[in-house]
Amino acid sequence: MPRILTGIQSSGTPHLGNLLGAILPAIELSKHNESFFFIADFHALTTVKNKEILISNTIETAAAWIACGLNTKNGNILYRQSDIPQVTELMWYLNCITPYPMLANAHSFKDKSGRLSDVNAGLFTYPVLMAADIILYNAELVPVGKDQVQHIEMTRDIATKFNHNFGETFVIPETKLDSQNMIVPGTDGNKMSKSYNNVINIFAEENVLKKQIMNIVTDSKGLAEPKDPNNCNVFQIYKLIASKEETKKMEYNYINGGFGYGHAKKALLELTISKFKNERSKFFELIQSPEIIEKELFNGAEKAKKTANKVLEKVKKNLGLVRA
Ligand code: ADP
Ligand code: TRP
């Protein structure tokens, strides 16, 4: 029973991409494995610079995990990254063995530094903190979306180098990609991401959700014309949550014409609301009681801390920071 671990930044409310690419597959895995799930609020600080926003993002991200069915009564834990600051201590040790070019060449850093106006050092060392997140807890399997695979590769390289230099210390983790290897497209056809402003926010009020779906970019084919489902963002998103029959029917509607993009968007909105009905109502209920969420996070941190302290003690011994 491998230990699984994954984190989601509290840089916004989890969207459809986070749900399908990370949260739901991780919860599925947690049913048969010991699981560590956390809210990466230290990572979120690289982009979020407002206290109230960070707090509400953290509560909403935790609520999303619980609303999607994470059961913390059977050995799984949910915690806030910053409740265990030992991770930043480990990050320093890892910084000192991480080659500069490895970070400078990371896809995610290149992408973010090209796009964001605030290119801070936290963005640069982001993968080292991520490595610390994983190896501080002896994680064996890390379920993530495709975009994070390089970060896990870097984690493996850093942990292997540490073990080689200082003696066996860390478990080397493996990536666990969702079977469909999916990258959920956003409303503009690029990867759905909080930082691209192209999300479908499963946990938004219905009017917001409607606006996001109605804003999905399509070509300008008229209602009567036949349409190509494989070249349409609405269909690409629809098929990720629809049943086989629903997908077939939608495909038929596209190909045969007489069915406008407005109809397709309406169908997507209805399907989203019905498919995530239970998760949405649980989420709205939970965010009304942040104390329940805080209690979950507190209990999770108490458990996670035990592993973190043990691993860190071994690290310090092996580095020569304390007497062996
Ligand atoms: P964002 O890009 O919106 O900031 P995060 O970086 O917080 O999202 O991602 C959290 C998790 O969700 C990661 O495991 C990531 O791979 C997954 N994820 C994010 N966006 C998508 C997407 N569009 N499709 C599939 N998985 C995604
Ligand atoms: N960087 C991840 C993301 O943006 C979030 C994250 C932080 C993470 N630490 C992690 C994911 C450790 C897996 C394991 O999606």
Side-chain angles (χ1 to χ4, degrees):
M1 198 171 80
R3 174 174 294 175
I4 64 173
L5 174 146
T6 197
I8 300 236
Q9 290 191 71
S10 44
S11 48
T13 314
H15 52 73
L16 184 64
N18 297 142
L19 240 68
L20 300 182
I23 298 182
L24 294 174
I27 290 178
E28 207 39 51
L29 277 175
S30 76
K31 293 179 182 160
H32 312 286
N33 297 279
E34 184 193 16
S35 318
F36 283 52
F37 296 142
F38 66 95
I39 323 297
D41 55 346
F42 278 149
H43 278 107
L45 284 176
T46 57
T47 51
V48 180
K49 313 289 175 183
N50 175 297
K51 171 179 157 184
E52 273 75 34
I53 294 179
L54 188 67
I55 293 172
S56 75
N57 285 349
T58 301
I59 292 294
E60 290 185 4
T61 308
W65 277 105
I66 303 169
C68 287
L70 174 65
N71 180 358
T72 53
K73 300 214 163 46
N74 59 358
N76 300 316
I77 61 175
L78 179 68
Y79 59 99
R80 175 170 30 213
Q81 184 185 30
S82 62
D83 281 339
I84 302 150
Q86 286 87 333
V87 75
T88 55
E89 181 179 343
L90 176 59
M91 182 199 183
W92 176 254
Y93 306 143
L94 302 182
N95 267 336
C96 296
I97 60 160
T98 302
Y100 171 88
M102 185 199 246
L103 298 180
N105 289 325
H107 304 313
S108 163
F109 175 68
K110 283 201 217 160
D111 167 53
K112 287 182 185 167
S113 56
R115 242 177 340 100
L116 301 174
S117 53
D118 169 24
V119 183
N120 54 63
L123 278 181
F124 187 68
T125 52
Y126 185 111
V128 191
L129 179 57
M130 198 163 147
D133 282 330
I134 297 170
I135 61 182
L136 182 60
Y137 300 101
N138 290 329
E140 294 165 275
L141 266 189
V142 186
V144 282
K146 226 176 179 178
D147 59 317
Q148 295 296 315
V149 171
Q150 192 185 39
H151 287 156
I152 315 299
E153 290 302 320
M154 290 161 90
T155 303
R156 289 169 58 84
D157 287 351
I158 296 169
T160 305
K161 186 167 177 188
F162 190 103
N163 285 352
H164 183 75
N165 283 2
F166 302 106
E168 260 334 282
T169 313
F170 296 118
V171 172
I172 309 297
E174 308 259 351
T175 305
K176 172 87 177 86
L177 266 181
D178 184 43
S179 54
Q180 298 178 50
N181 282 358
M182 62 165 74
I183 291 202
V184 179
T187 52
D188 57 359
N190 294 313
K191 181 205 137 176
M192 186 179 293
S193 170
K194 282 163 259 177
S195 46
Y196 298 162
N197 226 337
N198 64 355
V199 302
I200 293 183
N201 193 335
I202 294 299
F203 297 113
E205 296 289 348
E206 197 168 326
N207 57 336
V208 177
L209 193 56
K210 182 171 178 188
K211 208 165 155 207
Q212 290 171 341
I213 290 179
M214 293 303 159
N215 275 337
I216 298 177
V217 177
T218 60
D219 60 30
S220 54
K221 284 205 174 82
L223 187 133
E225 288 177 79
K227 301 175 181 65
D228 177 4
N230 295 319
N231 263 323
C232 174
N233 293 328
V234 185
F235 182 80
Q236 294 309 313
I237 299 173
Y238 184 86
K239 75 173 187 195
L240 294 175
I241 56 174
S243 65
K244 273 202 183 110
E245 291 71 40
E246 287 164 334
T247 306
K248 260 206 178 130
K249 194 168 156 218
M250 183 61 85
E251 211 162 15
Y252 176 89
N253 287 336
Y254 266 72
I255 295 169
N256 284 281
F259 185 82
Y261 290 121
H263 294 127
K265 289 176 179 177
K266 190 165 169 277
L268 176 60
L269 176 66
E270 282 165 6
L271 181 65
T272 307
I273 289 175
S274 67
K275 172 113 187 162
F276 296 105
K277 185 167 174 269
N278 294 340
E279 289 82 355
R280 283 168 55 81
S281 67
K282 179 90 187 146
F283 177 89
F284 292 130
E285 190 187 305
L286 277 166
I287 55 169
Q288 294 308 315
S289 315
E291 67 289 351
I292 297 180
I293 297 173
E294 283 297 343
K295 192 157 177 250
E296 282 280 357
L297 295 177
F298 177 84
N299 291 341
E302 287 301 299
K303 291 186 191 150
K305 232 177 248 172
K306 290 191 185 128
T307 309
N309 285 331
K310 259 194 226 150
V311 173
L312 200 57
E313 199 181 314
K314 190 165 162 196
V315 170
K316 290 175 79 173
K317 235 187 229 169
N318 290 354
L319 282 168
L321 291 169
V322 289
R323 270 177 189 278

